[in-house]
Amino acid sequence: SIDRAIEIKADYAEGYLNRGNALIELKRLNDAIASFDRILALKPDFADALLNRATAKLLSGRLEDGWQDYEARWDTTNFPSKRPSLEAPQWRGEDLAGRRIAVFTEQGLGDNIQFARYTRLLVERGAVVTLLAPAKLHRLLGGLHPSIEVIGSPKGRSFDFRCPLMSLPFHLGTNERTVPNRVPYLNAEEDRVAHWARVIGERGLKIGIAWQGRPDRSLDRGRSIPLTEYARLARLPGVRLISLQKSEGLDQLGILPADVRIETLGPEFDDGPDAFIDCAAVMNHLDLVITSDTSIAHLAGALGRPTWLALKHVPEWRWQLDRQDSPWYPTMRLFRQDTDGDWKPVFARIEQELQRLGIV
């Protein structure tokens, strides 16, 4: 239908945009990029096309090209983040020795956790780094580096430069070979680790699970997993499944088969204003984390914990296509859908792999 529309109107830029998006879902990334190229020949400043071309390039592993297109995100139709009011020029790779730079977070909590690692690279260049982040992440991100200040508002501060967090890969020239993937780059708080050691104990093979992202976000389409898919893992001898869910998806605990037990961590689990403080501590006591594509995956990866990530057929750009590992998190393995929407083969492979490795 899109092709027919383009035949009728050869300069139909939105038609080429929709065609490119459809081709991404078909894993025809080169064809998708060609479609976006056609739009941009017609409308060179069409930010939505640049961002979607970035998605296709990043999915295909063309990181340097992808980051450049990704800079258009701020000018797209429905970009969710806003720049803070900062009287400082955008940093574009200038010398940072002794200079003060404000880096501000954007988009979701998982994005913040994944790309927070880049602030440490700025410190290595001699910068004085202030990270502007949501209040709920201050305790977690406060452990990035002793010299990195994490605050909520730039009011009353002056800086030499400002930069969005997810522009740092572009300005630092990140490619497939230079992804900064040393882990852990975040750590749990020792007193919380000690507390949860007493609660969880040592019994069994302890697997933390997360299955549901924020259901009101369009990005969640197809990413969350019905909790019933985990039932086959709960039935394995010696396995303890421990829920890492905080709010969304907890209603599914009430519809599990009678022989399936998933442990919950009670009302005190991350019940304060700070996100992931208890979750990070709990992960220190787990043998494995198995999760859908949520911020839990990024937290486990940033902590350097063994993590198995279940992905939809065409995932977010950061996970690329087909590969079973991630350049971002060396302790993570990827388990992908063969068919859109079908999780059963994914969890069959996870079960087989647990058995093959002798974990159960």
Side-chain angles (χ1 to χ4, degrees), residues 80-143:
S81 299
K82 304 295 182 185
R83 294 182 179 95
S85 179
L86 284 167
E87 297 296 329
Q90 168 78 25
W91 182 67
R92 303 184 188 280
E94 296 90 342
D95 179 32
L96 284 172
R99 313 300 290 278
R100 293 164 299 177
I101 183 170
V103 177
F104 52 94
T105 59
E106 54 177 292
Q107 303 185 60
L109 297 181
D111 300 298
N112 297 173
I113 292 171
Q114 180 181 359
F115 291 94
R117 70 186 77 195
Y118 278 92
T119 57
R120 303 201 308 182
L121 300 186
L122 301 182
V123 172
E124 292 172 6
R125 291 187 171 211
V128 178
V129 179
T130 297
L131 178 60
L132 306 178
K136 66 176 68 176
L137 289 180
H138 287 186
R139 277 177 70 179
L140 179 70
L141 300 182

Side-chain angles (χ1 to χ4, degrees), residues 10 58 126 129 177 202 239 245 253 295-296 329 337:
L58 293 167
V129 179
R177 299 179 304 280
E202 297 295 330
V239 166
Q245 290 288 141
L253 291 166
S295 52
I296 292 294
Y329 300 113
Q337 286 182 345

